[in-house]
Amino acid sequence: MNTKTLRNLRVVLWSLVAIVAVAATALYVFQPPARPLGITGQEFALNSTRGGAFTQDDLIGPPSLIFFGYTFCPDVCPTTLAETTAIRDALGLTPEQLRIIFVSVDPERDTLEMVKEYVEGFDPGVIGLVASSLEQTENAKAAFGVFSEKVGEPGDPYYLVNHTALTFLVNADGTFQGTISYEEDRDTATAKVKRLVGL
C-alpha cells in the first residue's frame, strides 16, 4: 500500500471517528441517559403508613422531601420533621403538592403504628415508611446512599442510632435534585424547596 493510499485511509478513518463522536454527542443532548430513581437506582419496598407498599417507583409523583431517622431519636429527627413541615406550611403547599416522607432506619423497634403516630404528630400529611426486615431497610438506605448504625451496649433497649441527617429533595419524576442539611439556614432551605416545586 503506497503512501498516498495510507494517507487517504487515515483521512477516511478519522472522518468516521469524527462522525461517530458528533452522532454520540447529539444522541446525548437530544436523548440524555435516564437518571436513576432516588440517587442510586437501588430497588426497595417499604410498608407505608398510608397503607400498602412504597417502592422506588412511587418516588414518581409529587415532589418529595425524604428524611431517614427513627422514632426514638432525641434531637435530629424531631427537629427535621418540625422544620420541613413548617416550610411546607409557610409556602402554602398541600401534601399533594409536596410530600414529606420519613423513613425509619430502626425496624427492630419502629412498628408501622409507632411511625404513623410519630409522623402524624408533626403533620397528618407526613408519610412514614418502615421495613419488615433489616435487609429491606438496607435496600432503602442504599437507594439514597444513607448510613446508619446502632450505638450503645449490646442488648440495651434504649440504644441510639447514628444516621445520615440530610433531607433529600426528589423531583416529580423520581430523580434526585439535592439536599437540605440538618439545621440549614431557613431561607436557604426554603429557596431549595421553592425550586423543587417550581415556585
Side-chain angles (χ1 to χ4, degrees), residues 75-97:
D75 42 31
V76 175
C77 304
T79 299
T80 300
L81 282 168
E83 289 178 346
T84 52
T85 54
I87 289 173
R88 183 166 72 181
D89 288 346
L91 294 176
L93 298 170
T94 66
E96 290 71 36
Q97 296 170 307

PDB file of all heavy atoms in Angstrom, residues 75-97:
ATOM      1  N   ASP A  75     -33.145  14.234  68.957  1.00  0.00           N
ATOM      2  CA  ASP A  75     -32.983  15.626  68.533  1.00  0.00           C
ATOM      3  C   ASP A  75     -33.087  15.853  67.028  1.00  0.00           C
ATOM      4  O   ASP A  75     -33.930  16.624  66.568  1.00  0.00           O
ATOM      5  CB  ASP A  75     -31.640  16.182  69.037  1.00  0.00           C
ATOM      6  CG  ASP A  75     -30.500  15.180  68.888  1.00  0.00           C
ATOM      7  OD1 ASP A  75     -30.535  14.360  67.958  1.00  0.00           O
ATOM      8  OD2 ASP A  75     -29.566  15.218  69.711  1.00  0.00           O
ATOM      9  N   VAL A  76     -32.247  15.179  66.241  1.00  0.00           N
ATOM     10  CA  VAL A  76     -32.181  15.454  64.802  1.00  0.00           C
ATOM     11  C   VAL A  76     -33.520  15.208  64.118  1.00  0.00           C
ATOM     12  O   VAL A  76     -33.993  16.040  63.327  1.00  0.00           O
ATOM     13  CB  VAL A  76     -31.077  14.596  64.140  1.00  0.00           C
ATOM     14  CG1 VAL A  76     -31.092  14.790  62.627  1.00  0.00           C
ATOM     15  CG2 VAL A  76     -29.713  14.954  64.708  1.00  0.00           C
ATOM     16  N   CYS A  77     -34.142  14.075  64.400  1.00  0.00           N
ATOM     17  CA  CYS A  77     -35.377  13.709  63.695  1.00  0.00           C
ATOM     18  C   CYS A  77     -36.551  14.646  64.013  1.00  0.00           C
ATOM     19  O   CYS A  77     -37.206  15.136  63.094  1.00  0.00           O
ATOM     20  CB  CYS A  77     -35.747  12.263  63.994  1.00  0.00           C
ATOM     21  SG  CYS A  77     -34.424  11.105  63.580  1.00  0.00           S
ATOM     22  N   PRO A  78     -36.834  14.895  65.302  1.00  0.00           N
ATOM     23  CA  PRO A  78     -37.944  15.816  65.559  1.00  0.00           C
ATOM     24  C   PRO A  78     -37.688  17.219  65.030  1.00  0.00           C
ATOM     25  O   PRO A  78     -38.611  17.880  64.546  1.00  0.00           O
ATOM     26  CB  PRO A  78     -38.081  15.796  67.085  1.00  0.00           C
ATOM     27  CG  PRO A  78     -36.816  15.217  67.604  1.00  0.00           C
ATOM     28  CD  PRO A  78     -36.303  14.310  66.535  1.00  0.00           C
ATOM     29  N   THR A  79     -36.434  17.666  65.105  1.00  0.00           N
ATOM     30  CA  THR A  79     -36.111  18.991  64.574  1.00  0.00           C
ATOM     31  C   THR A  79     -36.337  19.046  63.073  1.00  0.00           C
ATOM     32  O   THR A  79     -36.939  19.996  62.550  1.00  0.00           O
ATOM     33  CB  THR A  79     -34.647  19.353  64.892  1.00  0.00           C
ATOM     34  OG1 THR A  79     -34.452  19.379  66.306  1.00  0.00           O
ATOM     35  CG2 THR A  79     -34.280  20.710  64.303  1.00  0.00           C
ATOM     36  N   THR A  80     -35.882  18.028  62.360  1.00  0.00           N
ATOM     37  CA  THR A  80     -36.032  17.997  60.900  1.00  0.00           C
ATOM     38  C   THR A  80     -37.492  17.927  60.496  1.00  0.00           C
ATOM     39  O   THR A  80     -37.930  18.640  59.573  1.00  0.00           O
ATOM     40  CB  THR A  80     -35.257  16.805  60.309  1.00  0.00           C
ATOM     41  OG1 THR A  80     -33.868  16.938  60.642  1.00  0.00           O
ATOM     42  CG2 THR A  80     -35.414  16.750  58.799  1.00  0.00           C
ATOM     43  N   LEU A  81     -38.268  17.084  61.149  1.00  0.00           N
ATOM     44  CA  LEU A  81     -39.694  16.990  60.818  1.00  0.00           C
ATOM     45  C   LEU A  81     -40.414  18.302  61.104  1.00  0.00           C
ATOM     46  O   LEU A  81     -41.273  18.736  60.337  1.00  0.00           O
ATOM     47  CB  LEU A  81     -40.338  15.843  61.591  1.00  0.00           C
ATOM     48  CG  LEU A  81     -40.062  14.448  61.013  1.00  0.00           C
ATOM     49  CD1 LEU A  81     -40.479  13.365  62.000  1.00  0.00           C
ATOM     50  CD2 LEU A  81     -40.797  14.269  59.689  1.00  0.00           C
ATOM     51  N   ALA A  82     -40.058  18.943  62.207  1.00  0.00           N
ATOM     52  CA  ALA A  82     -40.683  20.230  62.525  1.00  0.00           C
ATOM     53  C   ALA A  82     -40.331  21.286  61.486  1.00  0.00           C
ATOM     54  O   ALA A  82     -41.189  22.073  61.056  1.00  0.00           O
ATOM     55  CB  ALA A  82     -40.236  20.689  63.920  1.00  0.00           C
ATOM     56  N   GLU A  83     -39.076  21.288  61.044  1.00  0.00           N
ATOM     57  CA  GLU A  83     -38.641  22.304  60.077  1.00  0.00           C
ATOM     58  C   GLU A  83     -39.237  22.066  58.695  1.00  0.00           C
ATOM     59  O   GLU A  83     -39.667  23.016  58.030  1.00  0.00           O
ATOM     60  CB  GLU A  83     -37.113  22.322  59.998  1.00  0.00           C
ATOM     61  CG  GLU A  83     -36.458  22.891  61.248  1.00  0.00           C
ATOM     62  CD  GLU A  83     -34.939  22.865  61.197  1.00  0.00           C
ATOM     63  OE1 GLU A  83     -34.391  22.160  60.314  1.00  0.00           O
ATOM     64  OE2 GLU A  83     -34.313  23.535  62.028  1.00  0.00           O
ATOM     65  N   THR A  84     -39.271  20.828  58.249  1.00  0.00           N
ATOM     66  CA  THR A  84     -39.802  20.565  56.906  1.00  0.00           C
ATOM     67  C   THR A  84     -41.305  20.835  56.840  1.00  0.00           C
ATOM     68  O   THR A  84     -41.795  21.396  55.851  1.00  0.00           O
ATOM     69  CB  THR A  84     -39.506  19.123  56.460  1.00  0.00           C
ATOM     70  OG1 THR A  84     -39.946  18.205  57.466  1.00  0.00           O
ATOM     71  CG2 THR A  84     -38.031  18.920  56.205  1.00  0.00           C
ATOM     72  N   THR A  85     -42.025  20.452  57.883  1.00  0.00           N
ATOM     73  CA  THR A  85     -43.469  20.725  57.871  1.00  0.00           C
ATOM     74  C   THR A  85     -43.734  22.224  57.973  1.00  0.00           C
ATOM     75  O   THR A  85     -44.686  22.728  57.369  1.00  0.00           O
ATOM     76  CB  THR A  85     -44.184  19.971  59.003  1.00  0.00           C
ATOM     77  OG1 THR A  85     -43.567  20.271  60.263  1.00  0.00           O
ATOM     78  CG2 THR A  85     -44.128  18.472  58.779  1.00  0.00           C
ATOM     79  N   ALA A  86     -42.890  22.943  58.709  1.00  0.00           N
ATOM     80  CA  ALA A  86     -43.053  24.394  58.822  1.00  0.00           C
ATOM     81  C   ALA A  86     -42.804  25.071  57.480  1.00  0.00           C
ATOM     82  O   ALA A  86     -43.511  26.024  57.112  1.00  0.00           O
ATOM     83  CB  ALA A  86     -42.105  24.948  59.884  1.00  0.00           C
ATOM     84  N   ILE A  87     -41.806  24.598  56.735  1.00  0.00           N
ATOM     85  CA  ILE A  87     -41.532  25.178  55.414  1.00  0.00           C
ATOM     86  C   ILE A  87     -42.708  24.924  54.484  1.00  0.00           C
ATOM     87  O   ILE A  87     -43.139  25.820  53.746  1.00  0.00           O
ATOM     88  CB  ILE A  87     -40.228  24.597  54.834  1.00  0.00           C
ATOM     89  CG1 ILE A  87     -39.024  25.136  55.595  1.00  0.00           C
ATOM     90  CG2 ILE A  87     -40.104  24.925  53.343  1.00  0.00           C
ATOM     91  CD1 ILE A  87     -37.704  24.503  55.206  1.00  0.00           C
ATOM     92  N   ARG A  88     -43.241  23.705  54.502  1.00  0.00           N
ATOM     93  CA  ARG A  88     -44.384  23.409  53.630  1.00  0.00           C
ATOM     94  C   ARG A  88     -45.566  24.309  53.980  1.00  0.00           C
ATOM     95  O   ARG A  88     -46.227  24.862  53.086  1.00  0.00           O
ATOM     96  CB  ARG A  88     -44.780  21.935  53.736  1.00  0.00           C
ATOM     97  CG  ARG A  88     -45.921  21.561  52.800  1.00  0.00           C
ATOM     98  CD  ARG A  88     -46.088  20.064  52.648  1.00  0.00           C
ATOM     99  NE  ARG A  88     -46.639  19.436  53.848  1.00  0.00           N
ATOM    100  CZ  ARG A  88     -46.856  18.134  53.971  1.00  0.00           C
ATOM    101  NH1 ARG A  88     -46.549  17.318  52.971  1.00  0.00           N
ATOM    102  NH2 ARG A  88     -47.350  17.629  55.082  1.00  0.00           N
ATOM    103  N   ASP A  89     -45.828  24.478  55.259  1.00  0.00           N
ATOM    104  CA  ASP A  89     -46.934  25.335  55.682  1.00  0.00           C
ATOM    105  C   ASP A  89     -46.701  26.789  55.259  1.00  0.00           C
ATOM    106  O   ASP A  89     -47.615  27.458  54.782  1.00  0.00           O
ATOM    107  CB  ASP A  89     -47.115  25.265  57.199  1.00  0.00           C
ATOM    108  CG  ASP A  89     -47.703  23.944  57.663  1.00  0.00           C
ATOM    109  OD1 ASP A  89     -48.223  23.182  56.813  1.00  0.00           O
ATOM    110  OD2 ASP A  89     -47.627  23.655  58.870  1.00  0.00           O
ATOM    111  N   ALA A  90     -45.462  27.257  55.448  1.00  0.00           N
ATOM    112  CA  ALA A  90     -45.147  28.651  55.125  1.00  0.00           C
ATOM    113  C   ALA A  90     -45.321  28.938  53.636  1.00  0.00           C
ATOM    114  O   ALA A  90     -45.687  30.060  53.252  1.00  0.00           O
ATOM    115  CB  ALA A  90     -43.726  28.982  55.563  1.00  0.00           C
ATOM    116  N   LEU A  91     -45.078  27.936  52.810  1.00  0.00           N
ATOM    117  CA  LEU A  91     -45.226  28.108  51.359  1.00  0.00           C
ATOM    118  C   LEU A  91     -46.658  27.850  50.894  1.00  0.00           C
ATOM    119  O   LEU A  91     -46.959  27.993  49.710  1.00  0.00           O
ATOM    120  CB  LEU A  91     -44.268  27.177  50.613  1.00  0.00           C
ATOM    121  CG  LEU A  91     -42.769  27.484  50.790  1.00  0.00           C
ATOM    122  CD1 LEU A  91     -41.920  26.435  50.088  1.00  0.00           C
ATOM    123  CD2 LEU A  91     -42.446  28.877  50.263  1.00  0.00           C
ATOM    124  N   GLY A  92     -47.520  27.480  51.818  1.00  0.00           N
ATOM    125  CA  GLY A  92     -48.923  27.246  51.469  1.00  0.00           C
ATOM    126  C   GLY A  92     -49.131  26.020  50.602  1.00  0.00           C
ATOM    127  O   GLY A  92     -50.079  25.969  49.809  1.00  0.00           O
ATOM    128  N   LEU A  93     -48.248  25.024  50.750  1.00  0.00           N
ATOM    129  CA  LEU A  93     -48.334  23.825  49.925  1.00  0.00           C
ATOM    130  C   LEU A  93     -49.096  22.712  50.644  1.00  0.00           C
ATOM    131  O   LEU A  93     -49.031  22.596  51.865  1.00  0.00           O
ATOM    132  CB  LEU A  93     -46.930  23.320  49.576  1.00  0.00           C
ATOM    133  CG  LEU A  93     -46.057  24.277  48.757  1.00  0.00           C
ATOM    134  CD1 LEU A  93     -44.627  23.755  48.689  1.00  0.00           C
ATOM    135  CD2 LEU A  93     -46.634  24.470  47.359  1.00  0.00           C
ATOM    136  N   THR A  94     -49.792  21.908  49.883  1.00  0.00           N
ATOM    137  CA  THR A  94     -50.519  20.770  50.433  1.00  0.00           C
ATOM    138  C   THR A  94     -49.655  19.508  50.272  1.00  0.00           C
ATOM    139  O   THR A  94     -48.698  19.497  49.493  1.00  0.00           O
ATOM    140  CB  THR A  94     -51.842  20.545  49.690  1.00  0.00           C
ATOM    141  OG1 THR A  94     -51.543  20.139  48.327  1.00  0.00           O
ATOM    142  CG2 THR A  94     -52.684  21.824  49.668  1.00  0.00           C
ATOM    143  N   PRO A  95     -50.000  18.416  50.972  1.00  0.00           N
ATOM    144  CA  PRO A  95     -49.270  17.160  50.789  1.00  0.00           C
ATOM    145  C   PRO A  95     -49.351  16.635  49.362  1.00  0.00           C
ATOM    146  O   PRO A  95     -48.481  15.866  48.938  1.00  0.00           O
ATOM    147  CB  PRO A  95     -49.963  16.203  51.768  1.00  0.00           C
ATOM    148  CG  PRO A  95     -50.512  17.092  52.828  1.00  0.00           C
ATOM    149  CD  PRO A  95     -50.947  18.333  52.104  1.00  0.00           C
ATOM    150  N   GLU A  96     -50.348  17.054  48.618  1.00  0.00           N
ATOM    151  CA  GLU A  96     -50.464  16.652  47.215  1.00  0.00           C
ATOM    152  C   GLU A  96     -49.503  17.432  46.320  1.00  0.00           C
ATOM    153  O   GLU A  96     -49.197  17.013  45.199  1.00  0.00           O
ATOM    154  CB  GLU A  96     -51.893  16.852  46.717  1.00  0.00           C
ATOM    155  CG  GLU A  96     -52.910  15.889  47.309  1.00  0.00           C
ATOM    156  CD  GLU A  96     -53.205  16.163  48.777  1.00  0.00           C
ATOM    157  OE1 GLU A  96     -53.234  17.344  49.166  1.00  0.00           O
ATOM    158  OE2 GLU A  96     -53.387  15.177  49.536  1.00  0.00           O
ATOM    159  N   GLN A  97     -49.027  18.567  46.815  1.00  0.00           N
ATOM    160  CA  GLN A  97     -48.066  19.373  46.057  1.00  0.00           C
ATOM    161  C   GLN A  97     -46.624  19.118  46.476  1.00  0.00           C
ATOM    162  O   GLN A  97     -45.697  19.286  45.682  1.00  0.00           O
ATOM    163  CB  GLN A  97     -48.388  20.865  46.237  1.00  0.00           C
ATOM    164  CG  GLN A  97     -49.734  21.280  45.665  1.00  0.00           C
ATOM    165  CD  GLN A  97     -50.106  22.687  46.080  1.00  0.00           C
ATOM    166  OE1 GLN A  97     -50.113  23.025  47.273  1.00  0.00           O
ATOM    167  NE2 GLN A  97     -50.405  23.527  45.102  1.00  0.00           N
TER     168      GLN A  97
END
